[in-house]
Amino acid sequence: MSTGTTRRILYGAVAVFIASAIVTLVQHRQFEIPILMAHGAQVAVGGLIMVRRPGNTIGLALVAAGAIWGVMGALIITAESLDEAGHLGAAAWATLLAAVPAPLMIWVIGAIWLLFPDGRPNSPRDRTLLLGSGVLAVLLTFVAVIGTPQALPESKA
């Protein structure tokens, strides 16, 4: 990957993360600040790896994971706000949008462990595990995409 492409990906991910942090904080959900800081750290560390070691895929994975987890968190907070305002249909759609990338993001976090430290699988078994789990993550994401959003009633317990 060229230096220009690396920087564009990094700047885009930082912009997406900042936008998701603003959406979360504007809705006065201060309890999310530690989570935002953790995802911001993922983006920052991944960005450093991308700049210092452009061929290492762990940096790209960390940047992507931090940015998309931030967006997912903002969507969940938005769904909660919409639910509190009585907009159950919109809350269900926001929840569905937050659920779509979840299997892929969980796979990315797991893949980081298998790619550590140099950004390549350490053995053929790791490569097979990455491929198999990646196919499963794509299938689960497809299932989430074709899912129908449903608003769940509050429990009376």
Side-chain angles (χ1 to χ4, degrees), residues 9 13 16 42-43 46-47 50 58-71 105 108-109:
I9 291 171
V16 165
Q42 278 183 310
V43 172
M50 285 178 72
I58 292 175
L60 179 62
L62 282 171
V63 166
I68 294 177
W69 280 119
V71 170
M105 294 296 32
V108 166
I109 297 299

Side-chain angles (χ1 to χ4, degrees), residues 107 126-136:
W107 177 79
D126 288 351
R127 189 174 295 113
T128 303
L129 182 59
L130 273 173
L131 181 63
S133 61
V135 168
L136 180 62

